[in-house]
Amino acid sequence: MELGQSPEGCSSFMFPRIMGPAKSNEMLLAGCKLTAVEARDCGLVTDVFSHDKFTEEVQNRIQAKAKLPPR
């Protein structure tokens, strides 16, 4: 039997608030892992890119942020 993971970085506090008690319990107590798409759908990450588009997407976001005022 595989045990759940030890919560770190306030995950036991934040996960239920971000993705709800059912999904957070599934992860923390049952040791289930989320796919990238599930993490996005639960609000844990904001976006998911395909492997072949990752560098292009990151560069576009970096360039957009670089155009913002420094302060």
Side-chain angles (χ1 to χ4, degrees):
M1 178 179 170
E2 188 175 318
L3 296 177
Q5 298 185 21
S6 297
E8 295 182 3
C10 294
S11 59
S12 61
F13 178 78
M14 292 303 299
F15 281 10
R17 284 158 182 75
I18 294 170
M19 58 184 126
K23 187 55 88 174
S24 63
N25 283 337
E26 187 177 26
M27 284 183 60
L28 296 171
L29 302 177
C32 294
K33 295 179 182 177
L34 294 177
T35 66
V37 172
E38 288 173 325
R40 182 198 59 208
D41 293 345
C42 289
L44 194 58
V45 297
T46 57
D47 216 340
V48 176
F49 308 122
S50 64
H51 179 70
D52 60 327
K53 296 283 186 181
F54 181 78
T55 302
E56 178 184 342
E57 290 289 343
V58 170
Q59 286 296 330
N60 289 340
R61 290 174 185 234
I62 290 171
Q63 289 171 0
K65 299 283 189 262
K67 292 178 184 176
L68 296 173
R71 293 183 183 226

